[in-house]
Amino acid sequence: MEKRNNISVFILLGLSQSKNIEIFCFALFLFCYLVIWIGNLLIIISITYSKLIGQPMYFFLNYLSLSDICYTSTVTPKLMNDLLEERKTISYNSCMTQLFTTHFFGGIEIFILTGMAYDRYVAICKPLQYTAIMSRQRCNAIIIACCIGGFVHSACQCLLTIFLPFCGPNEVDHYFCDVYPLLKLACTNTHTIGLLVIANSGLIALVTFVVLMWSYFFILYTLRAYSAESRRKALSTCTSHITVVVLFFVPALFIYIRPAITFPEDKVFALFYTIIAPMFNPLIYTLRNRDMKNALRKVWCHYMLWEEK
């Protein structure tokens, strides 16, 4: 069928039609966005300018923090601006760009979390081979693979949407451009495309989540043979990772592992993996991690002493 596209602008219905709620949400998300930027920048600077950058776990954490900033920045600034606007619009090209970048950085985040789980598995289950296996070349290769994986996932997601015919209406029942709300507006049968979206986003998220949970189960099982102090330290690190994984994956699975239908609750669940999880990542990885707290203290104490001179 020939593509018909009479839509040049989409109207985003946003989170609420109440102005008071929108003002409250603006203040809340502004606070969250500042916490995301400040927290993740502190992690990036503290790791980069300390000896932790030589350790694979913190090497990956550095890139996770960077992907958090990029990922949430594809959605949050536009959301906050729309909360102050009477008419929430986004052009067709901007909508497709937001769709691509959101899934690109979201895909990178998923694969980096997988890389971090692999690092913990090698560190705990194969400690004598850890240095050889997790060399800097291997770590760089994993990050490159994460970027390629994110690009392929996002490109597939975008290609499934960009050729859809849109001939009206143009109201997107969401606060950002995502696949399922756009499929709802397409003036063609989207059943097959909906199945492809599940195969792309849903199965990737599900398989990755199962692999992550299985790896952490195997790690916890292996820890039984360790001393109490070693178990405590390893459990602290693994608990942080599991918390991040659950915050990110469970809401994403709720949305993408089902057929191409939308629910009002989707917007609330989407907030978890677009804003809430990136906000809590720095807190989880610093407050529960002695090495990160020491690195933060040393780097910023050194900076304050340099400023005094």
Side-chain angles (χ1 to χ4, degrees), residues 25-90:
C25 287
F26 173 82
L28 175 62
F29 297 143
L30 176 61
F31 170 77
C32 293
Y33 194 50
L34 290 174
V35 170
I36 290 169
W37 267 92
I38 294 171
N40 283 293
L41 281 177
L42 283 174
I43 287 180
I44 292 171
I45 294 171
S46 299
I47 291 176
T48 302
Y49 292 98
S50 70
K51 295 180 180 179
L52 293 181
I53 192 64
Q55 300 182 33
M57 184 179 78
Y58 298 103
F59 175 82
F60 290 131
L61 179 57
N62 204 29
Y63 281 98
L64 180 67
S65 295
L66 180 60
S67 69
D68 272 339
I69 292 175
C70 296
Y71 177 54
T72 194
S73 293
T74 64
V75 173
T76 312
K78 172 63 176 169
L79 169 61
M80 292 192 298
N81 179 73
D82 286 344
L83 288 170
L84 301 179
E85 297 287 343
E86 290 296 330
R87 185 176 172 84
K88 306 167 179 58
T89 61
I90 184 170

Side-chain angles (χ1 to χ4, degrees), residues 46 48 118 131 166 184 223 236 249 261 290 300-302:
S46 299
T48 302
Y118 175 70
T131 304
F166 296 101
K184 194 175 179 181
L223 285 174
S236 177
F249 276 91
I261 54 176
R290 184 185 303 172
W300 294 102
C301 284
H302 177 76

Side-chain angles (χ1 to χ4, degrees), residues 78-125:
K78 172 63 176 169
L79 169 61
M80 292 192 298
N81 179 73
D82 286 344
L83 288 170
L84 301 179
E85 297 287 343
E86 290 296 330
R87 185 176 172 84
K88 306 167 179 58
T89 61
I90 184 170
S91 69
Y92 176 85
N93 290 336
S94 296
C95 183
M96 294 301 116
T97 301
Q98 186 181 59
L99 174 66
F100 177 84
T101 54
T102 301
H103 283 274
F104 174 59
F105 290 113
I108 290 175
E109 183 143 342
I110 285 175
F111 295 127
I112 289 178
L113 287 170
T114 307
M116 295 176 75
Y118 175 70
D119 170 72
R120 290 300 83 202
Y121 165 78
V122 176
I124 294 171
C125 300

Side-chain angles (χ1 to χ4, degrees), residues 15 29 32-33 36 40 67-77 79 98 102-103 106 109 174-178 247-249 251-252 255-256 266-281:
L15 293 171
F29 297 143
C32 293
Y33 194 50
I36 290 169
N40 283 293
S67 69
D68 272 339
I69 292 175
C70 296
Y71 177 54
T72 194
S73 293
T74 64
V75 173
T76 312
L79 169 61
Q98 186 181 59
T102 301
H103 283 274
E109 183 143 342
H174 216 301
Y175 62 89
F176 71 100
C177 288
D178 203 4
L247 276 175
F248 188 90
F249 276 91
I255 292 176
Y256 292 112
D266 288 355
K267 302 176 187 179
V268 177
F269 278 95
L271 288 173
F272 275 91
Y273 59 80
T274 56
I275 299 177
I276 304 302
M279 181 184 70
F280 277 107
N281 281 0

Side-chain angles (χ1 to χ4, degrees), residues 59-60 135-148:
F59 175 82
F60 290 131
S135 63
R136 180 48 56 94
Q137 290 78 11
R138 175 69 61 84
C139 292
N140 288 332
I142 290 174
I143 292 298
I144 292 172
C146 291
C147 294
I148 294 173

